[in-house]
Amino acid sequence: MSIYDSLNEQQREAVFNTEGPLLILAGAGSGKTRVLTHRIAYLIEEKKVNPWNILAITFTNKAAQEMRERVDRLAGGDAGSVWVSTFHSACVRILRRHIDRLGFENNFTIYDTDDQKSLIKDICTRLNVDTRVYKEKALMSQISRAKDELITPDQMETNGAGDYNVRKVAAVYREYQAQLCRNNALDFDDLIGKTVELFQNCGDVLESWQHRFRYIMVDEYQDTNTAQFRLVSLLASRYENLCVVGDDDQSIYSFRGANIGNILGFERVFPNARVIRLEQNYRSTQNILNAANEVISNNTERKPKRLWTENEEGSRVQFRQFANGFEEAEYVVGDIAAARREGRCRYGDCAVLYRTNAQSRLFEEKCLLANIPYRIIGGVNFYARKEIKDLLCYLKTVDNARDDLAVRRIINVPKRGIGAATIAKIQDYAELMNISFYDAVRVAEEIPSLGRSLGKINQFAEFIQMLRSKAEHYSVRELLEEIIDLTGYVTELKAEDTDEARSRIENIDELISKTVSYQEAMEEMGRQVTLSGFLEEIALVADIDSVEDGQDYVLFMTLHSAKGLEFPRVYLAGMDDGIFPGSLSIFSDNPSDMEEERRLCYVGITRAEKELTLTSARQRLVRGENRFYKVSRFVEEIPRELVDLGRKITEKKPKLENVISAKSSYGQMKISFRPTPLEKKDFKVTKADSLDYGVGDTVRHVKFGVGVVKNIVEGGRDYEVTVEFDRAGVKKMFAGFAKLKKIQD
């Protein structure tokens, strides 16, 4: 039996069409990785393509590793030379060979987010940029977006048409790039952008890589940005054997620069492209898929497709609405505990997904009280912890002494008596002489007024030079252990004798373990073990790469982090208008913003294999204030017959005001304020003879804040007042409940 007999008809068509451009529209759970790996095997075994002529690009290290393992199983030893890597890893390998053409040294450093922020902060100080007005994170975001679009600082300034703020950002961007070059460093965006620049400026380099990669496959194509699109286009322009796989319905990263137009417009760029749709889902039940299909069908920016499966129909989607967020968290955690207790699932089968990280707190607290193991994806990155960052900066300094940020971080770690004033003098001298900070350290005798600090600086320089000489003969592990031993880093932590110090020592032990696993992995692949390679690998680690298979704990994560994963039981929490979709999308003038939120909902729904539960709360505590919400419009887009509302909110003949999916905000308000039976007995609202405010007056509500009265309708039992609030939007309410206070002009 052939390995291709296990594929369905559309999958086989995608595997066997190897020549020319090909767009594979792969719906969620449709086996796209299976198609890509079989396609690589088919190229090698049947088409006799040399493995080293094949490039397969993914977006995460985890996906790349999985693809590599599957290809090895299918094609055996013949697949060893296939490049299977992320965009960033592939570009690093290319730049390590050729970046000297762009004025960098090949042992460049890769800056992470913390490094970027530190550099931006220094630049803002140097350029007298007020960081209260121009926040470091905002500047980083604007610079990143420009790089995604291959826009230079000069182009940014020109495009700004004289706008003062744009000129300010462009000035920071220009200096930022200059400092990166001076430090022989690149940020993540540069890895793509500099490779594009290399190919555009060096035709011989581009031609050599075009001949190398005659067959190119790109996974998750809907998530590519302009720079990545340009990179792929350049590489594929000679042979055009480009196969891209993606799902426009799962394009959820526009905030990172992803351009959905890349996949929607593929056929315009490659007019002779074939399009194959993979619509059979192997992951979820049909009811879950039906819910996903109905939600995403409300989008207009998409290529039509409808998921189906041969799996069982399955149970209906569960929907539960609660009075507040505390009850919501209590229910979700209790439901997980009950299912685990009754043997219906493991903890590891369950995932709680939400729109923002801030929503995790209540679920964490309930898990702690219930003694349920859990893990949050997207917390503090291991490599961003102080002790790890310190030791990595020692390794960076040894590898690339031009990295000023790394050298400045460790010059007084552990404390050597080198203060901030001394460091500032060294920095000033380095800038004056146009040399690196470390080169200034090495000629500290020439820097005036260092005084007693001179001896300490010389000792530091000698220490680093000694480490650099040992690096030529030591393994990465040996070098790291030498740094730990000679600096006394762990000795100082042991002397503290605190739980925090012991935890830091455990982290350092884990870093040592990482050096060993890196060496073993490189030796297994027949690749050279280098300090630069080790630093490069850990710089490209993503949070989701740390999710371990087979672990028995509940996972908490944002919907963005969940993409690419699947779980037997999924809880989508916070399904409220204003939470998900977020208020920015609701009030945005750009319809694409709401469509991306809907795609995010589609991604969340299709993570579920067997059971899906959606939860909502009428009231939530946000920034210390109680806010009221109606059910998410995405829930309302799911047909009623696909949803189980639960016994608490289901009646044989529900009244209109009790139907959870009621669309009017007035109906939702009546639900929110509906009294309990006890309150009905003891509480009565008396209709006022008249109101002390009228249409057009400005009023204040205890929960919603300040607003303007838009309409007043007198009813038999009370006045119905419509108010447009500054923060909460338009609300309808009964005057007796609202207790609005007129604000005098």
Side-chain angles (χ1 to χ4, degrees):
M1 177 179 174
S2 167
I3 60 172
Y4 310 108
D5 292 341
S6 61
L7 304 174
N8 65 40
E9 182 181 347
Q10 289 71 31
Q11 289 175 333
R12 283 195 296 272
E13 185 181 359
V15 167
F16 298 155
N17 278 278
T18 59
E19 308 305 308
L22 174 66
L23 168 61
I24 303 175
L25 292 172
S30 61
K32 63 183 178 63
T33 303
R34 183 179 181 82
V35 168
L36 284 173
T37 52
H38 279 72
R39 198 170 190 272
I40 293 172
Y42 182 77
L43 283 168
I44 296 172
E45 295 179 343
E46 304 298 330
K47 304 293 288 186
K48 305 305 179 185
V49 174
N50 292 320
W52 54 85
N53 291 143
I54 301 172
L55 170 65
I57 298 177
T58 67
F59 266 80
T60 68
N61 295 311
K62 187 180 181 71
Q65 181 180 352
E66 180 185 356
M67 188 179 294
R68 161 66 65 190
E69 291 171 354
R70 289 202 199 182
V71 169
D72 286 343
R73 287 197 297 269
L74 288 172
D78 290 340
S81 301
V82 176
W83 267 36
V84 182
S85 68
T86 65
F87 266 106
H88 292 100
S89 296
C91 287
V92 167
R93 292 178 69 178
I94 293 170
L95 291 174
R96 289 288 183 207
R97 302 186 190 183
H98 305 291
I99 200 171
D100 57 300
R101 299 279 199 101
L102 301 179
F104 289 78
E105 295 177 13
N106 292 345
N107 64 334
F108 58 84
T109 298
I110 302 172
Y111 275 4
D112 61 19
T113 304
D114 287 341
D115 296 328
Q116 291 175 261
K117 189 174 181 180
S118 297
L119 184 55
I120 290 287
K121 188 174 182 179
D122 289 347
I123 290 169
C124 287
T125 301
R126 188 177 304 118
L127 298 182
N128 294 318
V129 174
D130 188 349
T131 53
R132 291 171 299 180
V133 177
Y134 302 92
K135 305 291 186 183
E136 287 103 332
K137 285 189 176 181
L139 290 168
M140 290 167 58
S141 176
Q142 289 173 276
I143 291 171
S144 177
R145 181 58 63 92
K147 290 185 178 184
D148 287 343
E149 297 297 324
L150 298 174
I151 295 173
T152 66
D154 291 341
Q155 290 170 333
M156 175 187 280
E157 187 168 2
T158 301
N159 295 344
D163 184 292
Y164 175 81
N165 290 324
V166 174
R167 290 206 312 272
K168 207 73 171 175
V169 175
V172 174
Y173 180 12
R174 186 177 292 106
E175 181 62 19
Y176 174 72
Q177 290 304 105
Q179 289 298 318
L180 283 174
C181 185
R182 177 176 171 177
N183 293 355
N184 193 37
L186 303 178
D187 62 22
F188 288 107
D189 298 311
D190 282 332
L191 297 177
I192 311 295
K194 289 298 179 184
T195 307
V196 171
E197 182 182 340
L198 176 70
F199 286 164
Q200 289 176 331
N201 295 340
C202 305
D204 58 322
V205 175
L206 172 60
E207 186 176 354
S208 68
W209 288 103
Q210 286 174 333
H211 283 300
R212 170 69 186 270
F213 298 130
R214 303 190 179 203
Y215 292 85
I216 301 172
M217 281 161 272
V218 183
D219 193 10
E220 304 288 4
Y221 191 67
Q222 76 280 349
D223 294 333
T224 55
N225 58 35
T226 299
Q228 290 162 336
F229 167 77
R230 181 64 180 151
L231 174 70
V232 170
S233 299
L234 285 167
L235 277 174
S237 60
R238 178 173 291 271
Y239 296 101
E240 287 199 348
N241 294 325
L242 173 63
C243 169
V244 300
V245 184
D247 182 5
D248 48 303
D249 289 336
Q250 296 186 71
S251 179
I252 59 174
Y253 293 119
S254 66
F255 68 96
R256 294 182 186 171
N259 183 357
I260 192 174
N262 290 347
I263 190 167
L264 294 178
F266 185 79
E267 295 139 283
R268 288 196 301 272
V269 179
F270 299 96
N272 58 332
R274 290 180 60 91
V275 180
I276 298 173
R277 286 172 169 80
L278 305 182
E279 297 174 294
Q280 182 176 357
N281 177 282
Y282 293 90
R283 172 191 302 160
S284 306
T285 64
Q286 189 61 57
N287 268 332
I288 290 173
L289 296 181
N290 288 341
N293 287 331
E294 292 298 327
V295 170
I296 201 62
S297 66
N298 289 278
N299 272 7
T300 58
E301 292 182 345
R302 65 186 297 261
K303 291 178 177 290
K305 70 186 79 68
R306 190 169 184 86
L307 297 179
W308 62 276
T309 184
E310 293 180 349
N311 296 339
E312 61 184 355
E313 183 178 23
S315 58
R316 289 187 293 173
V317 174
Q318 306 291 307
F319 175 71
R320 301 291 183 270
Q321 188 185 42
F322 303 93
N324 53 54
F326 296 96
E327 291 185 8
E328 176 189 43
E330 191 170 60
Y331 172 82
V332 169
V333 173
D335 195 52
I336 292 172
R340 170 69 156 70
R341 187 170 55 249
E342 295 164 8
R344 290 185 282 123
C345 74
R346 300 165 54 252
Y347 289 131
D349 293 336
C350 305
V352 180
L353 312 181
Y354 34 75
R355 183 64 181 82
T356 63
N357 275 312
Q359 294 172 251
S360 71
R361 181 182 64 84
L362 292 175
F363 296 100
E364 289 184 71
E365 291 175 357
K366 296 299 181 183
C367 278
L368 289 170
L369 289 173
N371 199 29
I372 292 177
Y374 69 91
R375 181 174 178 188
I376 295 179
I377 303 302
V380 177
N381 188 297
F382 175 80
Y383 297 108
R385 293 168 183 168
K386 181 184 183 304
E387 61 278 7
I388 303 302
K389 194 82 172 176
D390 287 343
L391 293 174
L392 288 178
C393 280
Y394 267 104
L395 293 176
K396 287 180 180 180
T397 300
V398 171
D399 185 54
N400 171 29
R402 283 175 54 185
D403 186 349
D404 288 0
L405 289 182
V407 181
R408 289 208 305 267
R409 182 182 180 104
I410 62 168
I411 193 171
N412 199 40
V413 175
K415 294 191 181 303
R416 299 182 172 91
I418 303 175
T422 299
I423 294 173
K425 291 176 183 177
I426 299 172
Q427 183 65 47
D428 290 342
Y429 182 79
E431 292 176 5
L432 177 66
M433 303 303 293
N434 195 28
I435 59 177
S436 71
F437 184 87
Y438 181 69
D439 285 340
V441 166
R442 294 187 65 188
V443 294
E445 293 87 352
E446 300 176 10
I447 304 175
S449 69
L450 286 181
R452 289 178 295 177
S453 299
L454 179 60
K456 300 167 186 174
I457 295 168
N458 286 334
Q459 288 176 5
F460 171 74
E462 291 169 2
F463 177 59
I464 296 300
Q465 285 302 108
M466 179 267 294
L467 291 175
R468 298 190 79 185
S469 64
K470 289 185 175 183
E472 300 177 9
H473 311 289
Y474 279 25
S475 67
V476 179
R477 175 182 180 172
E478 290 170 337
L479 181 61
L480 177 60
E481 289 178 333
E482 184 83 343
I483 291 169
I484 293 169
D485 182 45
L486 295 178
T487 60
Y489 202 105
V490 170
T491 302
E492 284 192 3
L493 289 174
K494 286 180 178 178
E496 290 182 21
D497 195 27
T498 63
D499 289 340
E500 182 182 356
R502 283 187 283 273
S503 176
R504 289 184 171 184
I505 292 172
E506 291 173 358
N507 290 336
I508 292 172
D509 291 340
E510 182 62 26
L511 182 62
I512 295 173
S513 299
K514 172 62 182 175
T515 64
V516 175
S517 62
Y518 161 74
Q519 180 164 335
E520 291 174 349
M522 291 299 102
E523 290 173 349
E524 186 176 328
M525 290 189 291
R527 291 173 56 183
Q528 186 178 3
V529 178
T530 65
L531 178 56
S532 294
F534 173 73
L535 294 171
E536 167 192 317
E537 178 168 309
I538 62 177
L540 299 178
V541 169
D543 287 337
I544 203 65
D545 293 329
S546 63
V547 177
E548 300 174 10
D549 296 329
Q551 298 300 311
D552 196 21
Y553 43 64
V554 179
L555 280 177
F556 295 152
M557 68 184 79
T558 65
L559 286 151
H560 285 100
S561 296
K563 187 168 175 294
L565 302 178
E566 56 191 55
F567 308 92
R569 297 170 66 94
V570 167
Y571 297 83
L572 280 187
M575 297 298 293
D576 318 313
D577 256 24
I579 301 293
F580 186 40
S583 55
L584 290 178
S585 298
I586 292 173
F587 297 110
S588 173
D589 294 330
N590 186 355
S592 295
D593 294 338
M594 181 59 70
E595 296 219 346
E596 177 148 339
E597 288 284 286
R598 188 173 283 108
R599 291 194 292 269
L600 190 57
C601 182
Y602 174 83
V603 166
I605 292 173
T606 54
R607 297 312 93 195
E609 297 173 346
K610 302 291 185 184
E611 296 184 44
L612 173 65
T613 299
L614 313 177
T615 62
S616 173
R618 298 187 182 101
Q619 178 181 321
R620 294 184 186 276
L621 193 64
V622 179
R623 295 179 182 172
E625 296 181 354
N626 281 312
R627 296 187 184 178
F628 295 89
Y629 296 92
K630 68 175 184 177
V631 176
S632 170
R633 64 194 66 195
F634 300 149
V635 175
E636 295 178 350
E637 290 170 356
I638 302 174
R640 176 65 180 81
E641 62 269 17
L642 298 178
V643 182
D644 177 0
L645 296 177
R647 289 173 296 178
K648 291 183 180 179
I649 55 177
T650 305
E651 300 176 14
K652 290 183 179 179
K653 293 182 180 180
K655 297 178 183 179
L656 179 62
E657 67 180 34
N658 291 333
V659 177
I660 295 304
S661 60
K663 294 190 175 181
S664 71
S665 57
Y666 177 53
Q668 290 299 323
M669 187 60 65
K670 290 180 71 175
I671 293 172
S672 300
F673 283 104
R674 185 171 60 229
T676 63
L678 179 61
E679 290 171 326
K680 286 180 180 177
K681 184 184 298 183
D682 299 334
F683 182 73
K684 182 179 180 181
V685 175
T686 302
K687 178 182 175 182
D689 294 333
S690 63
L691 302 176
D692 60 358
Y693 51 82
V695 175
D697 287 340
T698 301
V699 295
R700 181 183 299 279
H701 185 275
V702 66
K703 305 297 184 185
F704 300 140
V706 177
V708 176
V709 178
K710 293 297 183 182
N711 192 29
I712 299 175
V713 177
E714 183 175 357
R717 305 173 70 179
D718 202 352
Y719 295 94
E720 179 187 295
V721 184
T722 303
V723 183
E724 183 175 353
F725 292 100
D726 294 342
R727 294 196 312 257
V730 177
K731 302 289 182 183
K732 286 185 179 181
M733 59 196 72
F734 294 127
F737 283 105
K739 301 189 184 317
L740 299 169
K741 300 294 184 184
K742 180 178 178 180
I743 299 176
Q744 300 298 328
D745 295 332

